[in-house]
Amino acid sequence: MTKSHILVLGGGEDQLPAYHEARRLGYGVIGVDQRPDALGAAAADLFLRMTTRDPQRIAAMVGHLDVAAVISPASDAAQESVAELSRILGTPHQPAPDAVRASVDKGYFHSVLERLGLPTYRHVQSADPDELARAAAELPLPVIVKPSDSSGSKGVQVVADPLALPAALDEARRYSFSGRVIVEEMLLGRHLSAEAFLRDARLGTVAVTERTTTGAPRMITTGHTVPAELPPATEIRLRSLIMDICGELGHVDGPVNFDFVVDDRTEEIRFIEMGARLGGNGMPLLVKHAYGINTYEAALRLALGEDFDLAPRHNRKTALRILTSDTDGILRTVEGADAVRALPQTVELQIFANPGSRVHRYTQAGHKLGYLLLVADSHTELREARTRAETLLRFGVEADPPHAPRTPPVSPELLTEKTP
């Protein structure tokens, strides 16, 4: 009998658990990623080394196989391909078109908030460099500059000096697939995230997390703590707003995540962006350890047209810390991993880079070195355990010499196949 396969777009650390979960459920795995060092290459039965943004070509390459479902956790860039491949291959779950668009077009997401009458903030978007520069110069500083249709914090900067704005716009444009850049008023307040999962137009589960970031100019996520300590009325309001947004977009089943800011004085909620897919930066791991819910399995079963389970098994205070390097270079040593794993609060330590591999300064989410998951009885204990772990764990990086040439671009796409 021909074995059915799950097609997973992306082969990074946040897609890899979907490979393992698909195999656990009895399916073969087809992986797609253009990066030569993609983790998924060794975990797939068939691995296509190519862009995830060419659904027609992907469909042609897998047409001889039985593809039961298509999924792409943590990747906004691949969601249009997920939708198109689901249609071409006739898989059971078809993503809502408007939800896909809101995931890949930050300007469109702003328009959705405006249609609903939700609190918004000043922003401008354009593919015309001169027009955008003129409009952005009218916004009060500081502003956030980002590609309109990218993810993983690529090309995102905080700009407080008007003289730095042109370079920030140019960098963001380089990371945009469409050449469109959005400039937003910088919001002050608590930065939080919500990792939710809908079932039959109802909120099956939601994890609200306190989000920590690097400082300006990059403001990239470095960790999450759950549960965030919100007033009950604010959390009830958040759940209602999530359902309003999902209803407007026709997103009735499946994962969705939001970044938002809560005003310290008024408790007003302002949404920044969303993704109608499993969150990145280890969010499904956080949900698993905090609540005992396997959202990778739930997302796969949804894509397969099967029933799925969102019942919580427990409720634990959990922190996720993203492990990073502050320099480009070669990783030479990893010290203290065993000692960190021995801490009573440690439930998981994943390190993606091996000694001898090239690592990069943490200027985008794809440059992370690993994840640390901690569970404790109180937020104070979590903070103390995190401090202890950061003291123990050390990455020895041999920094690149000044003016060293950059890593060459990805080589031409190749197709590799592994015999099951």
Side-chain angles (χ1 to χ4, degrees), residues 161-219:
D161 181 350
L163 296 178
L165 186 58
L169 294 174
D170 287 343
E171 180 181 339
R173 192 172 293 109
R174 289 197 299 272
Y175 282 104
S176 170
F177 297 104
S178 65
R180 295 177 67 82
V181 173
I182 189 166
V183 183
E184 301 172 337
E185 173 188 351
M186 185 173 176
L187 298 178
L188 300 179
R190 296 173 63 190
H191 286 257
L192 300 105
S193 294
E195 181 81 352
F197 210 114
L198 274 69
R199 183 176 192 173
D200 298 327
R202 297 181 180 179
L203 197 55
T205 184
V206 59
V208 182
T209 78
E210 199 86 39
R211 184 163 64 99
T212 57
T213 68
T214 59
R218 292 295 173 178
M219 297 287 287

Side-chain angles (χ1 to χ4, degrees), residues 38-191:
L39 298 173
D45 298 293
L46 171 68
F47 189 76
L48 310 177
R49 189 171 148 195
M50 59 178 290
T51 177
T52 61
R53 293 176 60 83
D54 191 347
Q56 299 292 336
R57 186 178 171 205
I58 295 170
M61 287 184 163
V62 303
H64 62 293
L65 297 171
D66 176 16
V67 178
V70 186
I71 191 172
S72 184
S75 173
D76 288 325
Q79 294 312 306
E80 291 175 319
S81 291
V82 170
E84 182 64 7
L85 284 163
S86 298
R87 184 191 65 79
I88 295 171
L89 299 173
T91 57
H93 178 65
Q94 308 291 317
D98 285 348
V100 171
R101 184 179 176 188
S103 301
V104 301
D105 183 340
K106 295 175 175 61
Y108 176 69
F109 180 61
H110 276 287
S111 73
V112 171
L113 300 178
E114 291 166 357
R115 285 205 309 264
L116 290 167
L118 300 185
T120 58
Y121 45 98
R122 295 178 65 182
H123 65 279
V124 293
Q125 176 180 261
S126 178
D128 183 300
D130 295 331
E131 177 185 320
L132 182 65
R134 287 193 297 270
E138 299 299 318
L139 295 179
L141 295 173
V143 295
I144 306 288
V145 178
K146 60 180 76 169
S148 297
D149 55 356
S150 187
S151 60
S153 297
K154 294 186 287 291
V156 177
Q157 286 193 61
V158 178
V159 177
D161 181 350
L163 296 178
L165 186 58
L169 294 174
D170 287 343
E171 180 181 339
R173 192 172 293 109
R174 289 197 299 272
Y175 282 104
S176 170
F177 297 104
S178 65
R180 295 177 67 82
V181 173
I182 189 166
V183 183
E184 301 172 337
E185 173 188 351
M186 185 173 176
L187 298 178
L188 300 179
R190 296 173 63 190
H191 286 257

Side-chain angles (χ1 to χ4, degrees), residues 225-395:
T225 302
V226 64
E229 297 178 287
L230 287 176
T234 303
E235 187 153 355
I236 291 171
R237 173 69 172 156
L238 172 66
R239 289 170 177 262
S240 176
L241 293 178
I242 288 174
M243 291 308 303
D244 288 344
I245 294 170
C246 289
E248 179 71 13
L249 296 172
H251 183 70
V252 297
D253 285 297
V256 61
N257 58 83
F258 295 89
D259 289 339
F260 61 99
V261 172
V262 175
D263 187 280
D264 288 328
R265 296 176 296 103
T266 65
E267 291 293 323
E268 183 177 65
I269 297 170
R270 294 189 179 186
F271 289 95
I272 300 173
E273 53 191 58
M274 66 160 280
R277 38 74 176 167
L278 291 175
N281 288 326
M283 290 293 277
L285 296 177
L286 188 71
V287 172
K288 181 184 76 171
H289 290 295
Y291 303 113
I293 303 171
N294 185 342
T295 54
Y296 278 110
E297 179 181 351
L300 280 170
R301 290 196 181 279
L302 171 65
L304 290 162
E306 300 177 358
D307 192 18
F308 51 92
D309 183 12
L310 296 174
R313 269 70 176 175
H314 48 249
N315 189 340
R316 299 170 178 166
K317 294 177 176 62
T318 308
L320 180 147
R321 186 69 176 170
I322 297 170
L323 308 176
T324 66
S325 171
D326 59 5
T327 185
D328 296 333
I330 304 299
L331 180 63
R332 295 302 183 192
T333 60
V334 179
E335 300 177 357
D338 289 341
V340 170
R341 289 190 175 99
L343 293 175
Q345 297 85 6
T346 299
V347 290
E348 197 160 343
L349 173 62
Q350 296 185 10
I351 298 176
F352 309 130
N354 297 314
S357 61
R358 172 159 290 281
V359 299
H360 299 279
R361 184 168 56 95
Y362 190 56
T363 58
Q364 55 182 263
H367 291 171
K368 64 177 72 74
L369 301 183
Y371 293 135
L372 170 65
L373 276 299
L374 303 166
V375 169
D377 293 329
S378 68
H379 287 288
T380 299
E381 185 184 350
L382 276 180
R383 288 191 291 269
E384 291 173 349
R386 186 184 68 189
T387 300
R388 178 62 175 154
E390 290 172 349
T391 301
L392 293 169
L393 191 61
R394 286 285 179 266
F395 294 97

